[in-house]
Amino acid sequence: MKGYVFHGPGRSAWEDIPDPDLKEPTDAVVRVDAVTICGTDLHILKGDVPEVRPGTVLGHEAVGEIVEVGTDVRTVRPGDRVLVSCITTCGRCRYCREGVYGQCLGGGGWILGHLIDGTQAEYVRVPYADLSVHPLPGAVTDQDAVLLADIFPTAYEVGVLNGSVRPGDTVVVVGAGPIGLAAVATARLFAPERIIAVDLAGARLEAARKLGADAVADARETPEQLVADLTGGLGADVVIEAVGVPETFEMCTRMVRPGGHVANVGVHGKPATLHLEDLWIKNVTITTGLVDTRSTPTLLRMAASGRLPTAQLVTHTFPLERMEEAYGVFAGAADTGALKVVLGGPRREVVAPRTV
């Protein structure tokens, strides 16, 4: 089969690789019908995630069809259309029993496209299939469903829920890329007084407006002052960092009010300064986090009922074999206007299932 393989910082290729096999009785093999590219994949290509070894197939989000299952898999079977979650869940360790699946100690967590081969291929092996894939209702298209593998649960859990967004709050989202836009959309579920989006790109700020931002600010034009003006000098109740660079994190800590929350979602490849000389007295809560995807079933129900604006985030589509071109479009978002790119190939005949 073909897959998109990481060969070290700055080097990757769409190339021939071996078909995946079942390795454990709890595995499933999924034929990939739709896949997308995440900002984390770009961080990997830059060398910001050194745990990813050369030779690894990238990608941790997909929609597809089950083609093989191990003998211990009970909840899905060949022919089922499923969402492949970005987080794999053993279901048995202490963290999984607490619903903190991202920290799984039993061989799960974020492993696809990180510690094992991922989803940017024609087929993918998914460990712990009973808990790590979600059967899809027919009302949710592949293109919509693939956005629920990562960006919507990440924005909702690590941004909105960790930030404790409440009715009447002022919420600032710094970074209007796909994660930031999903944070704007899901923050609205809690009826804040206002949502302010901050970014460098005019097109992304316009997208934020369409998704529900009440005000937008160019990151180069002192957005801290706009936040102060709109809040009577108080500052934001919740600031969500969705970029992953030191400057934006430090901007967030300047915009939050005493007693407020900074929810860091961005993937950071460099140290950021924590200005405790200013923050120690302000009762500020700062959270970090890897998504657990415990909200995925809820988000799937909302998508099926038309309550999530998933389609608005997809700006480009490609067949699977144009993976390298799609990466170029996504990485060059400042010039291409890309938000989320979705790749999908023609449906293929399902191979006869094997068991272990």
Side-chain angles (χ1 to χ4, degrees), residues 81-83 134-142 145 300-301 303-305:
R81 177 170 167 264
V82 296
L83 171 68
H134 300 267
L136 285 173
V140 181
T141 68
D142 288 358
L300 273 171
R301 291 194 298 272
S305 63

Side-chain angles (χ1 to χ4, degrees), residues 105-352:
L105 297 172
W110 173 37
I111 58 173
L112 291 171
H114 180 207
L115 304 180
I116 67 172
D117 285 339
T119 59
Q120 289 170 3
E122 294 179 307
Y123 293 86
V124 59
R125 178 182 72 91
V126 182
Y128 300 117
D130 278 329
L131 297 172
S132 304
V133 302
H134 300 267
L136 285 173
V140 181
T141 68
D142 288 358
Q143 184 168 290
D144 289 341
V146 76
L147 301 190
L148 302 180
D150 185 354
I151 67 165
F152 268 91
T154 294
Y156 181 58
E157 295 175 17
V158 185
V160 175
L161 296 184
N162 279 5
S164 299
V165 175
R166 297 176 297 181
D169 277 355
T170 291
V171 179
V172 179
V173 179
V174 178
I179 291 286
L181 293 173
V184 169
T186 52
R188 284 180 57 81
L189 300 173
F190 292 83
E193 179 182 0
R194 64 176 67 86
I195 299 174
I196 304 166
V198 179
D199 202 278
L200 295 170
R204 291 191 166 191
L205 293 176
E206 181 58 31
R209 282 192 183 277
K210 292 178 179 178
L211 284 165
D214 302 285
V216 299
D218 189 311
R220 293 162 293 202
E221 297 178 359
T222 60
E224 298 98 320
Q225 187 60 53
L226 172 64
V227 173
D229 291 344
L230 291 175
T231 60
L234 185 64
D237 300 284
V238 181
V239 187
I240 297 173
E241 200 284 338
V243 181
V245 297
E247 295 79 7
T248 53
F249 174 79
E250 292 169 28
M251 177 193 297
C252 290
T253 63
R254 293 194 297 269
M255 289 193 289
V256 68
R257 69 166 175 83
H261 290 73
V262 174
N264 183 87
V265 187
V267 178
H268 288 263
K270 297 180 180 179
T273 301
L274 181 62
H275 288 284
L276 284 176
E277 73 278 12
D278 297 322
L279 295 171
W280 72 271
I281 201 172
K282 294 184 177 179
N283 293 29
V284 171
T285 298
I286 298 174
T287 58
T288 64
L290 175 66
V291 64
D292 295 312
T293 65
R294 64 184 182 275
S295 66
T296 301
T298 298
L299 295 172
L300 273 171
R301 291 194 298 272
M302 294 181 67
S305 63
R307 300 296 298 274
L308 287 181
T310 49
Q312 296 182 44
L313 274 70
V314 178
T315 55
H316 297 74
T317 58
F318 299 88
L320 275 176
E321 61 267 20
R322 290 169 60 188
M323 185 71 70
E324 293 179 353
E325 179 183 354
Y327 260 90
V329 168
F330 185 64
D335 298 318
T336 64
L339 293 176
K340 205 65 175 168
V341 303
V342 175
L343 300 98
R347 297 183 68 86
R348 297 168 290 277
E349 183 179 355
V350 177
V351 299

Side-chain angles (χ1 to χ4, degrees), residues 19-179:
D19 292 345
D21 291 320
L22 299 172
K23 295 184 178 180
E24 301 291 340
T26 52
D27 288 351
V29 172
V30 177
R31 184 193 67 203
V32 174
D33 291 329
V35 69
T36 185
I37 301 170
C38 180
T40 303
D41 297 322
L42 300 184
H43 281 281
I44 291 171
L45 291 177
K46 292 177 183 176
D48 290 344
V49 189
E51 299 86 3
V52 182
R53 292 184 289 186
T56 301
V57 177
L58 296 184
H60 49 267
E61 309 156 89
V63 170
E65 187 171 312
I66 300 283
V67 296
E68 304 178 46
V69 295
T71 54
D72 288 352
V73 175
R74 297 288 182 266
T75 60
V76 291
R77 60 185 180 180
D80 286 350
R81 177 170 167 264
V82 296
L83 171 68
V84 178
S85 176
C86 66
I87 298 297
T88 304
T89 308
C90 83
R92 298 177 179 177
C93 71
R94 172 177 175 174
Y95 285 117
C96 287
R97 287 178 178 274
E98 294 174 353
V100 188
Y101 308 132
Q103 304 301 324
C104 175
L105 297 172
W110 173 37
I111 58 173
L112 291 171
H114 180 207
L115 304 180
I116 67 172
D117 285 339
T119 59
Q120 289 170 3
E122 294 179 307
Y123 293 86
V124 59
R125 178 182 72 91
V126 182
Y128 300 117
D130 278 329
L131 297 172
S132 304
V133 302
H134 300 267
L136 285 173
V140 181
T141 68
D142 288 358
Q143 184 168 290
D144 289 341
V146 76
L147 301 190
L148 302 180
D150 185 354
I151 67 165
F152 268 91
T154 294
Y156 181 58
E157 295 175 17
V158 185
V160 175
L161 296 184
N162 279 5
S164 299
V165 175
R166 297 176 297 181
D169 277 355
T170 291
V171 179
V172 179
V173 179
V174 178
I179 291 286

